[in-house]
Amino acid sequence: MRLVLLGPPGAGKGTQAERLAARRGVAALSTGEMLRAAVSEGSSLGKRAKAVIERGELVSDDVMIAIVAERIRQPDCVDGFILDGFPRTVAQARALDAMLQENGVRLDCVVEISVDEDFLIGRIETRAKETGGARADDNVETLKKRMAVYRQQTAPVSDYYRHNKMLITVDGVGSKDEVTAAIETAIGAVARV
Ligand code: AMP
């Protein structure tokens, strides 16, 4: 199964990606986690990405596309993957299509987890408290910037997949189990997975 999870910051993409991937025995790929790992390692990528992440902006398409192209070539992605946090721009979406086409595969579907912005601010505040501020970008100021970036650069990705008839939208307000169930129902209806 090859799936993309879309949704604004705090929508629950990471949690749901992990759950769906574990159930299907495929890899959950979070580009945010990959970047945070690079930042903690202090690699040259991490050094370049740190300030961008802390400002709530996006790391460049070239860098992100190269990271994902390399990652999905790994053996644990042969049977599929759940992408969380990529693509975040239409250029990334087009690049992903090209990568998959080169390998003779395609996405099964794209699930957008839809959550109202006011609700998200409360959720991110809770996450910041629960994780003791482990994420430098989990604060209201950066969150507002991330949401603006989402509206400007990532919302067009939903339109891109809607146009390609791949997009399913699921209500992301509810318990983790309710959202997982809603995603499972939605993908069960469209994909043979
Ligand atoms: P996330 O954990 O998905 O919320 O990502 C955290 C931060 O990492 C984002 O706010 C961006 O700065 C950066 N990032 C993650 N994925 C991407 C991507 N596909 N393109 C550009 N920047 C990204």
Side-chain angles (χ1 to χ4, degrees):
M1 176 200 214
R2 292 175 190 82
L3 186 82
V4 165
L5 285 185
L6 289 179
K13 299 184 296 293
T15 304
Q16 299 300 335
E18 293 285 347
R19 288 180 165 204
L20 296 169
R23 285 185 184 192
R24 290 177 167 74
V26 298
L29 309 182
S30 157
T31 46
E33 286 297 335
M34 292 176 206
L35 292 171
R36 283 187 286 279
V39 171
S40 0
E41 280 161 19
S43 67
S44 65
L45 164 69
K47 286 188 183 123
R48 278 178 291 148
K50 187 172 188 288
V52 180
I53 295 172
E54 285 175 6
R55 286 198 301 272
E57 294 171 2
L58 294 186
V59 174
S60 74
D61 284 337
D62 288 356
V63 168
M64 295 313 301
I65 290 165
I67 291 173
V68 172
E70 160 72 23
R71 183 66 187 85
I72 64 173
R73 272 199 296 269
Q74 302 304 311
D76 63 334
C77 292
V78 170
D79 292 332
F81 49 76
I82 316 271
L83 271 169
D84 149 27
F86 184 96
R88 257 182 162 88
T89 64
V90 172
Q92 293 180 11
R94 289 188 202 282
L96 177 62
D97 279 349
M99 283 173 217
L100 296 178
Q101 207 175 358
E102 246 173 55
N103 296 334
V105 295
R106 60 193 299 273
L107 291 174
D108 291 286
C109 65
V110 176
V111 176
E112 177 185 53
I113 305 178
S114 162
V115 186
D116 186 73
E117 283 201 14
D118 291 339
F119 181 86
L120 289 173
I121 293 185
R123 204 184 249 183
I124 294 269
E125 282 172 335
T126 308
R127 181 164 80 186
K129 279 188 206 130
E130 282 173 2
T131 59
R135 277 185 62 163
D137 57 352
D138 267 355
N139 58 73
V140 171
E141 198 188 322
T142 311
L143 176 64
K144 288 195 171 147
K145 173 72 182 173
R146 285 159 65 202
M147 283 180 174
V149 167
Y150 182 82
R151 279 195 299 276
Q152 286 156 11
Q153 305 198 53
T154 309
V157 176
S158 299
D159 297 335
Y160 174 84
Y161 287 123
R162 191 175 293 113
H163 180 78
N164 292 348
K165 309 231 181 308
M166 303 197 64
L167 189 77
I168 319 171
T169 301
V170 165
D171 183 4
V173 179
S175 69
K176 289 175 185 174
D177 288 347
E178 283 166 347
V179 178
T180 306
I183 296 175
E184 290 285 9
T185 305
I187 57 185
V190 298
R192 286 182 297 122
V193 286

